[in-house]
Amino acid sequence: AQSVTQLDSQVPVFEEAPVELRCNYSSSVSVYLFWYVQYPNQGLQLLLKYLSGSTLVKGINGFEAEFNKSQTSFHLRKPSVHISDTAEYFCAVTNRDDKIIFGKGTRLHILP
Amino acid sequence: NAGVTQTPKFRVLKTGQSMTLLCAQDMNHEYMYWYRQDPGMGLRLIHYSVGEGTTAKGEVPDGYNVSRLKKQNFLLGLESAAPSQTSVYFCASSPPGGYTGELFFGEGSRLTVL
């Protein structure tokens, strides 16, 4: 069975600074990986996904993530954050068995 | 565009009462999911469905039942609510091949069990 570990429950970062949110996964087979964002009092929406091909994936709102098979990681990065990026971010994984499993989430706090 | 609609959005129950959460999607999606979200626990999959008339268990199915009688609707039932079921419940849907990851979420249903 697959699982997802988000190493940081909260990440504070100053506005316009870069940020990296960490995600590690475990699976015995090939996986698909995703990052979702949840703004306060809303449902989740897809930021980006890795299915195959280039290991560097670009998403919405200037976010990108890199799939690293040897380290079983899929870290999310943004070079310069804005106050509007304040949200909770979820890493998710599936091994194509129709179950999509989410990590526990990382709250991104943008400091002025 | 309605997308995924959950009703009710808020509900307070007493221990032992029953209720049903309704999820409706208007995107003709085959796959539908129910998750619960708890602080520090992320989203945990309760049950899911890969088509009309089918359901399957997720990570935390105990205490819940589901039905998918119509393609557009996915119902989550609590037969005898317990305080441990206090949570925010999210429904999601996706096209066939749900593993492509494009889940479309509702806005959530906040349930409190006293």
Side-chain angles (χ1 to χ4, degrees):
Chain A
Q2 65 269 32
S3 66
V4 178
T5 302
Q6 291 185 244
L7 298 166
D8 305 297
S9 59
Q10 298 190 63
V11 173
V13 62
F14 287 104
E15 195 169 13
E16 298 184 9
V19 68
E20 179 178 81
L21 306 183
R22 297 180 292 170
C23 172
N24 287 88
Y25 69 92
S26 66
S27 176
S28 57
V29 297
S30 298
V31 296
Y32 295 153
L33 294 154
F34 320 94
W35 277 98
Y36 281 80
V37 59
Q38 184 181 31
Y39 298 106
N41 299 314
Q42 295 185 25
L44 281 71
Q45 56 184 276
L46 184 68
L47 264 183
L48 51 78
K49 61 184 177 183
Y50 172 78
L51 303 181
S52 64
S54 173
T55 57
L56 184 62
V57 180
K58 294 188 183 298
I60 61 172
N61 300 337
F63 283 93
E64 64 180 31
E66 186 158 18
F67 170 59
N68 188 320
K69 188 175 181 179
S70 63
Q71 297 188 3
T72 60
S73 68
F74 190 56
H75 301 333
L76 181 70
R77 295 191 290 259
K78 187 170 183 178
S80 176
V81 296
H82 302 284
I83 195 74
S84 59
D85 294 322
T86 297
E88 190 159 19
Y89 293 79
F90 292 91
C91 184
V93 63
T94 181
N95 62 4
R96 292 178 271 180
D97 64 351
D98 301 320
K99 294 180 186 177
I100 300 172
I101 304 300
F102 286 82
K104 294 184 177 181
T106 298
R107 288 191 181 274
L108 179 60
H109 297 283
I110 309 300
L111 307 172
Chain B
N1 296 333
V4 178
T5 303
Q6 295 180 227
T7 53
K9 289 184 169 47
F10 301 93
R11 185 75 187 269
V12 178
L13 289 177
K14 294 181 179 179
T15 297
Q17 287 185 317
S18 64
M19 75 158 295
T20 300
L21 297 176
L22 170 64
C23 177
Q25 53 95 3
D26 62 1
M27 296 172 283
N28 201 34
H29 285 168
E30 290 290 336
Y31 289 35
M32 296 186 75
Y33 305 80
W34 275 108
Y35 288 89
R36 60 177 288 174
Q37 183 178 27
D38 303 291
M41 300 297 290
L43 275 79
R44 292 180 291 171
L45 181 62
I46 305 172
H47 286 280
Y48 64 103
S49 168
V50 299
E52 182 178 316
T54 73
T55 63
K57 294 180 180 179
E59 302 171 89
V60 289
D62 295 341
Y64 304 95
N65 56 75
V66 289
S67 64
R68 184 96 180 269
L69 298 180
K70 294 182 178 180
K71 184 178 182 180
Q72 63 268 35
N73 295 337
F74 194 30
L75 279 64
L76 178 70
L78 286 71
E79 290 187 349
S80 179
S84 60
Q85 294 177 305
T86 293
S87 187
V88 181
Y89 292 86
F90 284 97
C91 177
S93 71
S94 72
Y99 52 78
T100 61
E102 187 76 58
L103 293 178
F104 294 81
F105 282 85
E107 294 187 347
S109 297
R110 185 176 295 274
L111 174 65
T112 302
V113 182
L114 302 176

